């Protein structure tokens, strides 16, 4: 029996491999070739199929007597076709993507122009759908929207299904408590001190697509419950091409950007530059009720602010095909941002009878600047002809942020209270290094793939905070030793993973496991040292997909993710900008683990698609920001303190509905709606035990109109619960119209943001002895005008086209 078992396993393996070898690829490209004038079908037209980047066709076929063609048995990948016939200008169709979930591409009627009217080859691009679905997430093809021109990454993210962008520009996935933003598969939070600054200036013209990964593969770090991956354009077109654009808004904002790429025979160079200027202003009303055993009193605060921000982004990249088996990609990114702010607050102290007994006025000014530099290197080596590949990756990043703020406080009532002056100077620096080694190889006739890899990540954060108070007697600023200190943070994460993907006639299976060893140490200049004991984390991952009848798919996923406490939540430095509302981090935080389950269903018709998702997650030791209010001894004054803690457990159930409808090839409507039930249970504070529903909805419409014009609109709404309250947002909107000139090279776009009014937000917060209501508005209503010019110089292909058959008599 012991000898028979190995032979039996070997025999089964051979049979399985033989069976899969008999299976054929199922990709299909079809269509009909007709005359542009008259619409008559063209039989025997030559159809040549190319793989992207190849100059030689892989398949040559011909249309039948009715002009129809159907190219079958294609593997997944990106293709283009060339249609030619004697007496007509050749037609080339680019951008045909064959995927597991979209393997049947019907190009419709392809019209050939008589050579009398056109002496050059005509090139068109097969339009990708704006939204593509998968069990592990959603892909938003930026190039299929009007926002692809003259916008920024932040503008685009506001319209991506399942993504919510708050008033500060932070992007999160609906139903996920911790979301990370990646750029080209690499974490951007390691690249900049403030990801919002980077997204606000990153030009949309340089973005290819945005992937919303609700169940990230094992290749990715275990951090975060979801990942938003921004994939940049790589400049694959042969020759020289690019664009320049400028936009300006009535609110005083402006944006200019340019990107260009050149592709030679074995290399491609691409680069982009952008500059953005923005004016932000708004006002707020904050009313807090303070309840104590012997007294009740109220704070009624009014505030206003005005910010000026400007920044630039510069990117360069090189793709080099060293040999048929080797390639190297290098890229750099430099980002800078400058800001000036001015804010005022008036705080009215009200007695239990709501009679004002004190009035405090505060004036804050600030200046800040930040810059960061990122260098990426990726090397690929094909190890064999069956698709085996080794990849080496290196990422180095450094950034610096200087923030200087000045606070002046006076008391109008009673006027005998002495004024105070304070200066805060905060210098922050980060350095990081990430090294990866990956190996992948198909086993059974390229229908599966095994991947394995190692990774090491090093991070260092240096946060130096200097606080000075003005001594009126000495007429000089004096260091506040109690609040001034330097925070040093070091993090090392070593990881290993292995995963296996298999697909067969509509079935898809992905499974993997990732192991990470985390070592963290941090300390303060005051002498406090914190050494976190190294901990090992295991992240299993499983995804099942089933495609059937060419129009349905169902999938299920499971994964474990981690939310690590990092410097922003661990740093115990006190922020006392408002002495009655202070905040600080908690150095005793522990990581929180989340188990995630998702079920996905998709139905696809010729003109529509519908994709409902059901997601359940349960988290232990959730890291949550919470507020407590305490009475200052000897006074009728209460101070609010905000910090972080592992508040307990959270169970969340989400229903997400995503749909798209295309009644014609020139009109597309899409919508998505999310409802999330959250249940908090905390041993820390019974005020944190809360059930609540969160809602998010969005609808969009795009239309291709006559005279080379187009229209696009989007409406969004969000209403979210948290551990101590609720954040209720207003409806946000975006309306864009575009007109194209100069043979599609020049386009003018007009955008109206928030036509219904400036964005308003309402926030409710409640604890054991306080109740808080906050209302705020921001100047988001704006008219923006954008002008964009595209230039292209394509290298002439010297390879003669395939011969065309004689025209039938």
């Amino acid at each position: 029996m012991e000898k028979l078992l190995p032979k039996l396993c070997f025999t089964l393996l051979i049979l399985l491999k033989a069976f899969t070898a008999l299976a054929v690829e199922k990709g299909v490209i079809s269509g009909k070739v007709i005359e542009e004038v008259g619409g008559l079908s063209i039989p025997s037209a030559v159809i040549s199929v190319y793989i992207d980047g190849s100059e030689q066709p892989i398949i040559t076929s011909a249309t039948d007597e009715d002009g129809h063609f159907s190219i079958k048995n294609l593997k997944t990948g990106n293709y283009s076709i060339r249609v030619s016939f004697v007496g007509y200008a050749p037609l080339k169709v680019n951008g045909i993507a064959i995927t597991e979930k979209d393997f049947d591409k019907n190009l419709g009627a392809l019209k050939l122009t008589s050579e009398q009217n056109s002496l050059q080859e005509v090139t068109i691009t097969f339009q990708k759908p704006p939204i593509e679905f998968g069990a592990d997430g959603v892909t938003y093809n930026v190039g299929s929207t009007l926002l692809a021109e003259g916008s920024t990454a932040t503008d685009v993210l506001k319209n991506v299904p399942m993504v919510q962008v708050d008033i500060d520009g932070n992007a999160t996935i609906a139903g996920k408590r911790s979301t990370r933003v990646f750029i080209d598969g690499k974490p951007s939070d390691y690249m900049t001190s403030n990801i919002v600054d980077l997204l606000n200036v990153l030009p949309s013209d340089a973005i290819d697509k945005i992937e919303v990964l609700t169940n990230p593969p094992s290749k990715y770090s275990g951090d975060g419950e979801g990942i938003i991956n921004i994939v940049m354009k790589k400049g694959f077109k042969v020759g020289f091409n690019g664009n320049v654009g400028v936009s300006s808004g009535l609110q005083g904002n402006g944006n200019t950007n340019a990107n260009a790429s050149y592709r030679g025979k074995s290399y491609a160079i691409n680069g982009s530059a952008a500059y953005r200027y923005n004016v932000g202003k708004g006002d707020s009303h904050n009313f807090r009720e303070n309840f104590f055993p012997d007294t009740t009193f109220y704070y009624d605060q009014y505030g206003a602010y005005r910010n000026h921000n400007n920044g630039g982004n510069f990117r360069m990249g090189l793709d080099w095909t060293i040999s048929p088996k080797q390639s190297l990609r290098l890229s750099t990114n430099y980002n800078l941002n400058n800001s000036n702010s001015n804010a005022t607050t008036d705080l009215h102290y009200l007695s239990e009878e709501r009679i004002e007994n004190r009035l405090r006025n505060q004036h804050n000014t600030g200046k800040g600047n930040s810059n960061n530099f990122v260098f990426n290197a990726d090397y690929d080596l094909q190890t064999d002809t069956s698709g085996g590949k080794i990849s080496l990756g290196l990422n180095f990043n450094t950034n610096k942020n200087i923030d200087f703020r000045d606070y002046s406080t006076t008391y109008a009532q009673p006027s005998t209270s002495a004024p105070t002056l304070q200066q805060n100077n905060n210098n922050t620096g980060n350095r990081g290094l990430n090294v990866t080694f990956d190996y992948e190889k198909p086993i059974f006739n390229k229908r599966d793939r095994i991947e394995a890899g190692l990774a090491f990540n090093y991070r260092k954060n240096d946060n130096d905070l200097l606080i000075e108070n003005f001594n009126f007697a000495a007429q000089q600023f004096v260091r506040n030793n109690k609040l001034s200190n330097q925070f040093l943070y070091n993090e090392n994460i070593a990881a290993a993973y292995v995963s296996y993907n298999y697909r067969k006639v509509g079935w898809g299976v992905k499974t993997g496991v990732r192991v990470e060893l985390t070592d963290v140490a941090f300390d303060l200049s005051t002498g406090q040292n914190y050494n976190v004991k190294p901990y090992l984390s295991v992240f299993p991952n499983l995804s099942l997909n089933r495609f059937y009848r060419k129009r349905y798919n169902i999938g299920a996923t499971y994964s474990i993710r981690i939310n690590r406490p990092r410097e922003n939540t661990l740093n115990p430095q006190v922020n006392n900008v408002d002495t009655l509302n202070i905040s600080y981090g908690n150095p005793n935080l522990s990581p929180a683990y989340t188990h995630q389950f998702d079920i996905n269903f998709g139905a696809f018709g010729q003109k529509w698609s519908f994709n409902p998702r059901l997601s359940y997650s349960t988290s232990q030791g959730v890291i949550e920001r919470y507020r407590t209010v305490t009475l200052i001894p000897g006074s009728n004054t209460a101070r609010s303190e905000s910090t972080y803690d592992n508040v307990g457990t959270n169970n969340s159930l989400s229903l997400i509905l995503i749909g798209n409808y295309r009644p014609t090839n020139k009109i597309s409507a899409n919508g998505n709606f999310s409802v999330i039930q959250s249940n908090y249970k905390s041993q820390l504070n019974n005020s944190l035990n809360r059930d609540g529903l969160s809602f998010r909805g969005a609808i969009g419409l795009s239309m291709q109109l006559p005279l080379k014009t187009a229209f696009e609109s989007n409406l969004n709404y969000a209403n979210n619960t948290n551990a101590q309250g609720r954040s209720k947002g207003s409806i946000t909107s975006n309306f864009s119209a575009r007109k194209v000139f100069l043979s599609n090279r020049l386009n003018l776009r007009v955008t109206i943001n928030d036509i219904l009014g400036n964005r308003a937000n309402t926030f409710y917060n409640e604890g054991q002895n306080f109740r808080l209501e906050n209302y705020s508005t921001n100047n988001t209503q704006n008219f923006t005008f954008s002008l964009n010019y595209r230039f292209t110089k394509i290298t002439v292909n010297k390879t003669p086209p395939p011969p065309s058959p004689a025209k039938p008599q």
Side-chain angles (χ1 to χ4, degrees), residues 264-323:
K265 196 169 185 179
S266 62
Y267 68 93
I269 301 174
N270 60 81
S272 68
Y275 172 80
R276 180 178 176 87
Y277 178 81
N278 185 61
V279 176
K281 54 185 178 180
D283 54 66
S284 63
H285 178 206
N286 191 317
F287 186 78
R288 194 173 87 202
E289 302 174 78
N290 305 283
F291 308 109
F292 293 95
D294 300 326
T295 181
T296 298
F297 52 94
Y298 309 91
Y299 290 160
D300 196 14
Q301 179 174 303
Y302 295 84
Y305 77 91
R306 186 179 182 90
N307 297 332
H308 295 262
N309 297 276
N310 65 84
N313 178 265
F314 307 91
R315 302 178 66 87
M316 285 292 295
L318 169 66
D319 292 350
W320 179 26
T321 303
I322 304 172
S323 71

Side-chain angles (χ1 to χ4, degrees), residues 180 182 187 189-190 218-224 395 431-437 453-460 489-497 514-521 532-539 561-567 570 591 593:
R180 301 185 72 197
F182 281 43
D189 46 1
Y190 295 168
S218 298
K219 185 175 181 178
Y220 287 95
S221 164
D223 278 294
N395 171 273
R431 290 199 306 272
L433 179 68
N434 183 264
V435 181
T436 59
F437 171 84
L454 301 172
F456 176 75
N457 183 74
Y458 164 77
R459 295 186 61 219
K460 182 176 182 179
Y489 175 88
N490 288 276
E491 177 186 272
N492 297 280
I493 300 177
Y497 79 92
R514 185 180 181 92
V515 180
E516 296 182 349
L517 178 64
T518 306
D519 183 18
V520 172
V532 178
K533 184 178 179 181
Y535 56 92
L536 190 69
S537 304
V538 180
F539 307 104
R561 308 291 295 174
I562 187 175
N563 182 18
R564 290 182 176 90
R566 288 199 161 92
E567 56 269 29
L570 294 170
Y593 294 90

Side-chain angles (χ1 to χ4, degrees), residues 392-413:
L392 299 174
L394 173 71
N395 171 273
F396 171 76
N397 54 83
T398 177
N399 66 74
K400 185 176 182 180
N401 182 75
I402 300 176
D403 187 32
F404 179 82
R405 298 189 179 275
D406 183 78
Y407 308 102
S408 174
T409 304
T410 59
Y411 294 88
Q413 180 186 346

Side-chain angles (χ1 to χ4, degrees), residues 95-108:
I96 307 172
I98 301 293
T99 66
E100 270 292 321
K101 60 177 178 289
D102 190 11
F103 52 82
D104 192 348
K105 292 290 188 180
N106 189 332
L107 306 183

Side-chain angles (χ1 to χ4, degrees), residues 159-163 656-659 670-674 696-699:
N159 298 295
V160 176
M162 299 175 63
V163 174
I656 303 172
L657 307 176
I658 306 173
N670 62 80
N672 62 87
F673 174 76
S674 306
R696 182 186 185 274
I699 57 174

Side-chain angles (χ1 to χ4, degrees), residues 467-471 474 476-481:
I467 297 181
E468 297 178 308
N469 298 108
F470 190 74
N471 187 316
Q476 64 180 11
F477 281 95
V478 179
R479 176 187 173 98
N480 186 326
N481 292 320

Side-chain angles (χ1 to χ4, degrees), residues 41 122 130 185 190 212 374 422 424 453 466 475 483 524 569 724 754:
S41 61
V122 179
Y190 295 168
V212 182
V374 180
Q422 180 175 302
N424 288 19
L466 171 63
Q475 287 295 297
L483 297 178
L524 293 172
T569 55
Q724 276 190 294
D754 292 334

Side-chain angles (χ1 to χ4, degrees), residues 369-419:
N369 65 79
S370 64
N371 62 82
N372 67 81
F373 173 78
V374 180
F375 172 78
N376 288 303
D378 295 284
Y379 171 78
D380 293 335
L381 173 65
Q382 183 179 338
T383 59
D384 53 60
T385 57
S386 65
K389 185 175 71 172
I390 291 176
S391 300
L392 299 174
L394 173 71
N395 171 273
F396 171 76
N397 54 83
T398 177
N399 66 74
K400 185 176 182 180
N401 182 75
I402 300 176
D403 187 32
F404 179 82
R405 298 189 179 275
D406 183 78
Y407 308 102
S408 174
T409 304
T410 59
Y411 294 88
Q413 180 186 346
S415 58
T416 54
S417 299

